Amino acid sequence: MRHELPQPPQAAAGSWHPATTESRTARFILVSVALVFLGLFLLLPLISVFFEAFRKGPAAYFAAFADHDALAAIRLTLLVAAIAVPLNLVFGVVAAWTIAKFEFKGKAFLTTLIDLPFSVSPVISGLVYVLLFSTHSALGPWLKSQGIEILFAVPGIVLATVFVTFPFVARELIPLMQEQGTTDEEAALSLGANGWQTFWHVTLPNIKWGLLYGVLLCNARAMGEFGAVSVVSGHIRGLTNTMPLQVEILYNEFNTVAAFAVASLLALLALVTLVLKTLLELKYGAELAANGGH
Amino acid sequence: MDVRVSGVRKEFDRFPALHDVSLDISSGELIALLGPSGSGKTTLLRLIAGLETPTEGKVFFGDEDASLKSVQERNVGFVFQHYALFRHMTVIDNVGFGLKVRPSASRPSNEEIRRRSSELLDFVQLGGLEKRYPAQLSGGQRQRVALARAMAIEPRVLLLDEPFGALDAKVRKELRRWLREIHDKTMHTTVFVTHDQDEALELADRVVVMSQGKIEQIGTPDQVYDTPNSPFVYGFIGESSSLSVRIDDGEVWLADRALGLKSDAPDGDAALYFRPHDVELVDGCGGCIAGTVIASRRVGATRRVELEIGGAAERVEIEIPADHPAREKSRIAFRPKHWRVFPKV
């Protein structure tokens, strides 16, 4: 025996649709606007990077990486990221821990301070270091007498990168840790765990996905930073040029293929970061849901 | 383990949460800290645990001054209100955590930790759920895991913060009985915090009633219920009705009538407290309380009547047998069987 299920009213029968759904036309327009915008402003530039890089064929593309200066730029970028990201990982966790788990005077000020690198133009961030360490500054002559080079050398680039990428890890962790509160830590302490065991066995597993996510974003920015690094680097070929700076130099010399080849590497990094981030979000979301958002 | 709290005061940012609290708990006792929110009961529990440090005063475990020790050194089993289970660990790893983090000299072997955790899970009737994660358990099961985890470290004192607060009414009643059984088997000195008087009266050997950072009364459930020592305890534990009265030469007067009740309270304005169900109805009125019925509700086996005493000046509630008609505007006269008079402050 078959039961006739009551059918919802057909669209043809009238203009009926659920209250939260827009009409067909409106949906079509909204989706199109979004897609066209994404295509024009995000996808097209990305494709053109690879298109330009391969304009003269794969041979020319790979030749661009055989260049001594380009290799040096890639190495420098990796080195800077390898120093700046772990530093910010540690600072970020410490800052987030301090802000989320303790009450103290000046907490609001510290929270605002962490955001400073986001709100200041990267060029200014770079200039700050120039003012601090240049030969005309108060510190400059002393540093020079000690033979310490900061400006127009690797330490300056690292400092500027650390400054610019500081907020990523901390910003990611503060809301997460605030939401989780301190009872898990108190439970661990009452069971006899010391501070380090509590951090390692309880706090870190609770924040690991947020932490990874913050590190990914931090790394992407550390490798891609242009403004602040440009100011402190001095653009010495083969020595203080990072990948973004190398791209600019090559482009200004009308070496389009080489410029876009290096740029394509950076773009590739961005894509990998995005994919990883999406994967993490999937994982992260499932885990949060499994814990009842608690 | 005896626990002694002696003259403890606690301030948060100059805001006093506890004033001069002293409490003696003997070994093996089950004690309830009962009070409304903001009464300082959780603060007192956390002070005993070492999760807070007193602004003044001391906490002793036996003869030893525990105030000098950190929470890790005090070896207390603390069960948190929302359990605070480690969500990324399985049930058995949660229970074994306290043993796993011990310094290597006193840490049992891995197999020993597993065996003891397993035993404890059987003890709290969760055998077979070792591999589950906290998110996969019901509220009542999580509560039992939390208890097993706290007991795994062989604590000197077991402290529970609103142990049944987050559970539904049925599970709460089951767990209450079950906790009593556990206590009778293990005889841990146990202190639990609750705002639920039924829970405190049913479960505890002694109840500590707290209000506004002070201890109002300490006593057995019978003592605090039958002989409350302050208007607050009268009002907070069980139901109570009160009337403004006057004491004159040892006699209780309601307006211009003597009620025939004797009191040793000092002369002057006072408040008469009694239980609504603990009254006898009387005919005619020589030395009784009489009033006009303004509302009457049938509640279960009894009838609850609101009376207006002395021309709208005051209203009291009493409970009378359900078969009494208690029509509106009719007069009812009664006399409390047990009562207390507290001087007005």
Side-chain angles (χ1 to χ4, degrees), chain A residues 180 183-195 197-198 201-203 205-206 208 290-292 294, chain B residues 46 51 71-72 76 78 80 82-89 94 97-98 100-102 135 142 149-150 153:
Chain A
Q180 290 178 346
T183 40
D184 279 15
E185 281 78 16
E186 285 183 343
L189 293 175
S190 78
L191 290 166
N194 60 35
Q197 287 170 322
T198 303
H201 294 297
V202 175
T203 308
N206 277 348
K208 63 182 170 194
N291 288 318
H294 181 62
Chain B
R46 290 171 61 87
L51 291 169
V71 55
Q72 291 103 323
V76 294
F78 201 101
F80 291 82
H82 297 288
Y83 322 131
L85 296 178
F86 307 130
R87 67 201 86 178
H88 57 278
M89 291 183 203
N94 262 286
F97 183 82
K100 204 182 91 184
V101 296
R102 281 192 184 167
R142 280 182 220 178
R149 183 177 71 177
I153 60 170

Side-chain angles (χ1 to χ4, degrees), chain B residues 15-272:
Chain B
F15 173 79
L18 284 178
H19 319 260
D20 193 33
V21 166
S22 294
L23 174 65
D24 285 345
I25 302 167
S26 11
S27 191
E29 247 190 325
L30 181 54
I31 294 269
L33 303 180
L34 174 65
S37 46
S39 60
K41 54 192 192 303
T42 297
T43 306
L44 179 55
L45 192 78
R46 290 171 61 87
L47 277 164
I48 298 175
L51 291 169
E52 308 281 356
T53 44
T55 313
E56 237 172 63
K58 288 189 166 158
V59 176
F60 293 92
F61 284 12
D63 294 327
E64 160 196 311
D65 186 356
S67 345
L68 304 171
K69 295 193 157 183
S70 68
V71 55
Q72 291 103 323
E73 294 164 328
R74 287 195 199 187
N75 194 25
V76 294
F78 201 101
V79 176
F80 291 82
Q81 187 173 5
H82 297 288
Y83 322 131
L85 296 178
F86 307 130
R87 67 201 86 178
H88 57 278
M89 291 183 203
T90 57
V91 164
I92 195 156
D93 287 342
N94 262 286
V95 176
F97 183 82
L99 298 174
K100 204 182 91 184
V101 296
R102 281 192 184 167
S104 52
S106 58
R107 182 173 53 221
S109 70
N110 282 346
E111 295 95 78
E112 175 68 8
I113 293 177
R114 283 202 89 72
R115 194 184 59 73
R116 274 161 66 177
S117 310
S118 228
E119 263 176 28
L120 270 167
L121 280 173
D122 285 339
F123 184 64
V124 298
Q125 296 155 12
L126 287 177
L129 298 185
E130 285 87 352
K131 293 265 155 51
R132 297 270 190 97
Y133 284 90
Q136 298 166 310
L137 301 178
S138 71
Q141 290 171 329
R142 280 182 220 178
Q143 169 69 286
R144 291 193 236 170
V145 175
L147 189 63
R149 183 177 71 177
M151 292 198 303
I153 60 170
E154 289 155 353
R156 299 194 284 179
V157 188
L158 205 50
L159 305 168
L160 302 96
D161 188 7
E162 296 271 2
F164 314 114
L167 301 170
D168 62 63
K170 189 166 171 288
V171 180
R172 193 185 292 202
K173 279 202 170 155
E174 283 169 15
L175 272 180
R176 212 190 274 173
R177 203 162 308 143
W178 174 81
L179 182 68
R180 181 75 229 188
E181 282 168 23
I182 294 260
H183 176 262
D184 292 345
K185 275 186 208 159
T186 62
M187 287 312 278
H188 276 120
T189 306
T190 306
V191 184
F192 73 99
V193 159
T194 181
H195 60 262
D196 181 341
Q197 41 161 313
D198 292 342
E199 211 162 275
L201 296 179
E202 184 183 328
L203 203 51
D205 296 323
R206 283 197 301 154
V207 178
V208 178
V209 187
M210 298 186 65
S211 157
Q212 300 185 343
K214 287 195 185 94
I215 293 182
E216 293 277 340
Q217 188 171 4
I218 304 174
T220 63
D222 286 349
Q223 285 168 347
V224 293
Y225 190 87
D226 293 336
T227 52
N229 68 355
S230 70
F232 173 81
V233 180
Y234 235 119
F236 189 68
I237 295 190
E239 299 200 27
S240 69
S241 293
S242 74
L243 273 174
S244 294
V245 293
R246 195 163 39 81
I247 308 295
D248 199 356
D249 207 14
E251 282 278 334
V252 181
W253 290 71
L254 177 65
D256 55 353
R257 290 204 296 174
L259 293 179
L261 307 173
K262 300 273 178 209
S263 169
D264 48 12
D267 286 2
D269 287 339
L272 172 76

Side-chain angles (χ1 to χ4, degrees), chain A residues 2 17 21 40 134 136 150 159 179 231 249:
Chain A
R2 289 186 60 196
H17 57 82
T21 311
L40 273 179
S134 76
H136 308 295
I150 290 181
L159 278 176
E179 190 207 312
V231 176
I249 288 176

Side-chain angles (χ1 to χ4, degrees), chain A residues 96-113:
Chain A
W97 178 284
T98 317
I99 285 172
K101 312 259 172 176
F102 299 104
E103 291 300 325
F104 55 91
K105 272 193 185 146
K107 187 164 144 171
F109 178 68
L110 185 60
T111 317
T112 319
L113 205 62

Side-chain angles (χ1 to χ4, degrees), chain B residues 289-331:
Chain B
I289 304 168
T292 314
V293 177
I294 53 168
S296 151
R297 280 172 293 134
R298 170 72 189 267
V299 181
T302 61
R303 186 176 296 282
R304 204 166 283 182
V305 180
E306 208 177 326
L307 295 177
E308 212 168 64
I309 311 281
E314 274 193 282
R315 290 180 178 188
V316 293
E317 221 178 36
I318 60 169
E319 273 176 31
I320 59 176
D323 53 6
H324 191 291
R327 278 185 307 278
E328 264 183 52
K329 308 268 197 247
S330 67
R331 301 270 302 169

